[in-house]
Amino acid sequence: MPDSFWEALLRPFSMFFPNGGIYVEIMAPDGRFALFVLMFLLLWVLGRQRVLKQAQVHVMFALTLLVGLSFIPWLITSGNGRYFMYCLFVVGPLLVMCIRALPTTAEFRLTLIFFAMSLQGYLLCLTVPWNNWNFFPWSRGPVFKVVWPEISIKPNKRVFVSVSSLSYSILAPQMDAATQWIGLLSLDRREERVGLFEKAKRKLADAERIDLILPAILDHMDRDGLPDQAMRLSINDMVAPFQLELTEESNSCYLLPISQSSDNDGGASLIGQSAKTPMFSFWQCHLKVAYKQSISSKKEIPEIIEAALNQLELICPRFFRTGESSTLPLNGGGLRNYPGSDMKIYAIPQSGVFYKYYRSYQITRVGSVEDVAAGHFTLDCQQLRGRAGLPWERQI
């Protein structure tokens, strides 16, 4: 989302720059909006008297008004390109309509259209977006099929939870439609999500069985392919804020092997290899509701560290949202990660308090731990390194 009216006004030109985070997560430069603005201004200056007499131009003006007004709710609510998809589809034909209305020769108009298509095609070739987020390549059929353990529980009384921003929705169709899924990472105690948090707690309390789904980690497997003791403590740390913990039973976790699908030719070799080695397998761990805080493997975070980190949340709540992150131990201090704004903050004794935006190469010091905890510091939330300013102004 833009930080100022000036940034909002120049968003069509910001989209031209291939920075991640300008309007979509991956690198995706889009020059069509900037070109359309320039062509529209040229059209208005050179031939508005003649152009306005063309009947088809009224359609172009109506479409231009629609796209222009659509920027307002888009930038206010998210600024994320995935929620602006219809305008991303419309702007290409709209640019062609604008060029065709120019009071020039047909040859010159065709040259401009060819230039616009070539420029956008060149930008696309520089930052090919396809397969950026793929874990498994396949051509048809299901990607893989997980072998689930036989557990006799009514589907509507069984809840699967995850502790990742990824939903693992590819697993859901393999379960009964009545099975319930909850992404714990999407829940917090912020005011606007209190209702969702309480609803999830009621579902967990009413469930006959709660299972955690997470990818198996090779470095934390025991001989049977199950989570080792360190991993089990980490699991308890992750689910403890939601009053959950692993059950004490010896078979509380299962390895979910990936079986090769007979009707899948495209990913058969990769899936077959994954079935032999648990590289892409999942763990399913049985959880129980724990009304006491579970034992944590984390070291106690000093109060002054928590106080320093809390100060940044008070000063810049838009980027460091209270309740979105818990403190992780780091070098005698603490770290908080804010996935909603792609920000991290650090408080390290003898070093100070720092913040870092994910597109920035270096961390930025705010002040000493003692000064920040006491509120004796200044931080301009509109000038955060890597995040603030237009793309060509950002310091990384």
Side-chain angles (χ1 to χ4, degrees), residues 36-305:
F36 172 72
V37 171
L38 295 176
M39 291 297 108
F40 188 84
L41 292 176
L42 182 64
L43 174 65
W44 188 256
V45 170
L46 293 183
R48 61 177 181 269
Q49 297 299 328
R50 173 185 170 187
V51 168
L52 289 176
K53 296 179 182 179
Q54 301 179 27
Q56 67 270 25
V57 172
H58 295 160
V59 177
M60 183 194 73
F61 276 106
L63 202 55
T64 301
L65 183 63
L66 174 64
V67 173
L69 292 177
S70 297
F71 266 80
I72 299 173
W74 176 51
L75 295 181
I76 290 176
T77 55
S78 73
N80 192 324
R82 71 177 71 180
Y83 308 116
F84 202 53
M85 194 58 68
Y86 80 93
C87 284
L88 298 181
F89 280 121
V90 164
V91 70
L94 188 56
L95 173 59
V96 173
M97 291 172 65
C98 184
I99 294 175
R100 289 188 62 190
L102 287 172
T104 61
T105 64
E107 291 79 5
F108 184 71
R109 294 195 294 269
L110 285 173
T111 302
L112 287 178
I113 293 173
F114 178 77
F115 169 77
M117 294 180 62
S118 299
L119 177 61
Q120 185 62 26
Y122 174 69
L123 294 175
L124 185 63
C125 291
L126 286 178
T127 55
V128 178
W130 298 288
N131 299 322
N132 263 298
W133 289 348
N134 284 0
F135 293 105
F136 286 93
W138 80 95
S139 59
R140 64 181 177 84
V143 184
F144 55 77
K145 194 167 186 177
V146 169
V147 180
W148 301 90
E150 291 293 333
I151 298 174
S152 57
I153 295 289
K154 293 181 180 179
N156 62 344
K157 287 293 184 179
R158 189 172 187 183
V159 175
F160 283 94
V161 300
S162 68
V163 288
S164 168
S165 56
L166 298 177
S167 64
Y168 308 128
S169 56
I170 201 166
L171 301 177
Q174 302 181 33
M175 303 298 292
D176 191 286
T179 303
Q180 301 181 77
W181 294 72
I182 298 176
L184 297 182
L185 196 64
S186 64
L187 305 175
D188 58 52
R189 294 176 176 82
R190 283 182 291 153
E191 183 177 351
E192 66 267 27
R193 295 193 180 182
V194 168
L196 186 62
F197 183 83
E198 295 301 324
K199 182 180 179 181
K201 283 181 63 176
R202 289 195 296 270
K203 285 185 177 292
L204 293 172
D206 294 339
E208 292 183 8
R209 184 179 176 97
I210 305 170
D211 285 289
L212 172 70
I213 296 294
L214 72 164
I217 301 175
L218 287 174
D219 292 339
H220 288 283
M221 283 185 175
D222 60 20
R223 292 180 179 179
D224 299 320
L226 302 178
D228 59 19
Q229 185 60 25
M231 190 65 212
R232 289 174 184 270
L233 290 172
S234 293
I235 289 174
N236 276 336
D237 286 338
M238 289 186 284
V239 300
F242 306 95
Q243 294 185 324
L244 296 172
E245 67 179 8
L246 288 170
T247 60
E248 290 85 3
E249 57 195 39
S250 58
N251 60 341
S252 59
C253 290
Y254 304 87
L255 180 69
L256 304 181
I258 298 172
S259 66
Q260 183 172 337
S261 178
S262 59
D263 61 348
N264 187 326
D265 56 350
S269 59
L270 177 60
I271 295 171
Q273 181 182 2
S274 301
K276 297 173 185 177
T277 61
M279 185 176 298
F280 298 109
S281 298
F282 290 87
W283 281 323
Q284 173 185 335
C285 294
H286 187 196
L287 303 177
K288 66 177 181 179
V289 176
Y291 294 102
K292 59 180 179 62
Q293 187 76 5
S294 62
I295 299 175
S296 174
S297 64
K298 299 175 185 175
K299 299 177 182 178
E300 191 70 24
I301 306 296
E303 289 185 9
I304 192 171
I305 297 297

